[in-house]
């Protein structure tokens, strides 16, 4: 059976721009509040309040039983970290905050890496840079005439030539009125393989890149994914729409805070 992928129109793109912009503004809002001594539950509550104050709701909350409004993943947590009062951020930590809003029925999904304090280990800085560059390589390959395999190959090549690894257990996804829909967007692959990229597609690209091996495991809470070797992991995510010439990023930071260090943090 052929996979059905939604193709969206101009009005849909306009709605997704608004949802994506709110997700990006939420990340801008929380940026100066990510600091030594705060706990991830505090950050989660602040993000939820900001989202609701803009007439939207946080999509992760109660999604398939997830208990919080955001995912906050620190150091060797790969993704789906559950915010907690006991998870306190310390100088030198790195953290990913993943925001998805539902605004007027449309989903905006983005995540960004954060550095806690100013004394960030060189290995953590390097991993963050490689991960952002991997995301942008994937976005650059997301254009009509290419395939989803071209996107995955671009990400994989960028990461693996820098001696980091691409997590295989999670992928990007179609998005719109639904949080998750076809197609799955793998962050590894071969050029020319997979579904053709078409004008009107909307999906996320969200590579998770590890300093060590690619393998992950899920903790007993059923959500939190960590690196098996406990080495650092990083992730960036954008929601994009495919136009005639290439990808439009719906979740770009209005403040220009695309990756750390954030100069006005």
């Amino acid at each position: 059976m052929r996979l059905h992928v939604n193709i969206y129109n101009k009005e849909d793109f306009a709605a997704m721009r608004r949802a994506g912009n709110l997700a990006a503004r939420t990340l801008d809002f929380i940026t100066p509040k990510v600091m030594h001594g705060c706990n991830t539950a505090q950050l989660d509550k602040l993000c939820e309040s900001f989202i609701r104050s803009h007439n939207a709701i946080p999509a992760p909350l109660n999604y398939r039983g997830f208990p919080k409004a955001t995912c906050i993943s620190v150091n060797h947590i790969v993704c789906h970290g559950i915010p907690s009062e006991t998870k306190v951020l310390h100088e030198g930590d790195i953290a990913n905050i993943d925001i998805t809003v539902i605004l007027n029925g449309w989903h905006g999904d983005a995540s960004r890496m954060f550095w806690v304090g100013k004394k960030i280990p060189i290995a953590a800085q390097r991993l963050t840079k490689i991960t952002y560059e991997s995301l942008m390589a994937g976005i650059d390959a997301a254009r009509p005439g290419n395939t989803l395999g071209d996107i995955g190959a671009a990400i994989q090549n960028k990461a693996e030539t820098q001696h980091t690894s691409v997590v295989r257990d999670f992928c990007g996804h179609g998005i719109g009125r639904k949080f998750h829909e076809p197609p799955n967007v793998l962050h590894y692959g071969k050029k020319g393989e997979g579904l053709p990229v078409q004008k009107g597609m909307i999906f996320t690209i969200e590579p998770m890149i590890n300093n060590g091996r690619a393998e992950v495991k899920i903790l007993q809470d059923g959500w939190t994914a960590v690196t098996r070797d406990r080495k650092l992991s990083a992730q960036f995510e954008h929601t994009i729409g495919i136009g005639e010439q290439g990808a439009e990023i719906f979740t770009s930071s209005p403040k220009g805070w695309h990756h750390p260090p954030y100069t006005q943090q």
Side-chain angles (χ1 to χ4, degrees):
M1 186 172 67
R2 186 170 181 176
L3 180 70
H4 174 75
V5 175
N6 286 324
I7 300 298
Y8 291 97
N9 61 32
K10 290 182 179 180
E11 290 74 20
D12 302 332
F13 267 51
M16 287 297 288
R17 287 188 193 103
R18 290 189 288 269
N21 176 261
L22 179 57
R25 285 191 289 135
T26 306
L27 287 168
D28 284 353
F29 160 77
I30 205 63
T31 295
K33 298 168 177 60
V34 179
M35 62 183 69
H36 170 78
C38 72
N39 66 62
T40 56
Q42 291 171 323
L43 298 176
D44 178 77
K45 290 176 183 176
L46 287 169
C47 288
E48 180 176 3
S49 177
F50 183 87
I51 292 165
R52 292 189 184 278
S53 72
H54 288 81
N55 300 313
I57 59 176
L61 186 61
N62 299 319
Y63 180 77
R64 296 181 179 175
F66 190 80
K68 296 292 183 178
T70 66
C71 299
I72 304 180
S73 304
V74 182
N75 292 334
H76 72 288
I77 298 177
V78 176
C79 62
H80 301 157
I82 300 174
S84 167
E85 292 180 358
T86 62
K87 189 63 178 180
V88 178
L89 299 181
H90 300 286
E91 181 84 18
D93 285 345
I94 61 172
N96 175 274
I97 300 180
D98 192 342
I99 300 290
T100 308
V101 306
I102 307 174
L103 179 66
N104 298 323
W106 295 88
H107 291 73
D109 191 359
S111 82
R112 214 178 286 169
M113 291 301 297
F114 296 85
W115 293 349
V116 183
K118 297 182 178 180
K119 298 179 181 179
I120 309 302
I122 296 299
Q125 294 186 39
R126 179 177 180 273
L127 177 64
T128 304
K129 180 175 183 289
I130 291 168
T131 305
Y132 180 76
E133 290 176 349
S134 297
L135 167 67
M136 298 311 293
I139 291 174
D140 186 60
R143 58 183 182 270
N146 279 359
T147 68
L148 294 185
D150 291 315
I151 296 172
I155 294 167
Q156 183 178 3
N157 180 68
K158 177 65 70 172
E160 292 183 352
T161 56
Q162 298 297 316
H163 307 291
T164 58
S165 61
V166 180
V167 172
R168 260 71 165 174
D169 298 67
F170 305 97
C171 62
H173 52 89
I175 189 170
R177 288 192 176 276
K178 293 182 179 179
F179 195 167
H180 298 91
E181 62 185 35
N184 288 338
V185 182
L186 304 182
H187 302 122
Y188 60 95
K190 294 183 179 179
K191 290 183 177 180
E193 294 188 353
L195 197 71
V197 176
Q198 300 178 56
K199 178 184 175 183
M201 283 182 166
I202 296 177
F203 52 83
T204 71
I205 302 178
E206 47 185 294
M208 287 144 271
I209 309 298
N210 295 349
N211 253 348
R213 297 179 62 84
E215 290 81 8
V216 308
K217 66 178 180 180
I218 308 298
L219 299 186
Q220 289 184 345
D221 60 30
W223 284 102
T224 307
V226 300
T227 56
R228 283 192 173 272
D229 59 12
R230 296 188 66 83
K231 292 189 177 180
L232 293 176
S233 185
Q235 181 188 20
F236 285 90
E237 175 184 14
H238 277 311
T239 299
I240 64 171
I242 305 300
E244 291 183 0
Q245 303 301 318
E248 175 185 350
I249 300 174
F250 295 145
T251 48
S252 188
S253 165
K255 291 184 178 291
W257 292 347
H258 305 304
H259 56 80
Y262 303 115
T263 55
Q264 299 181 47
Q265 185 171 341

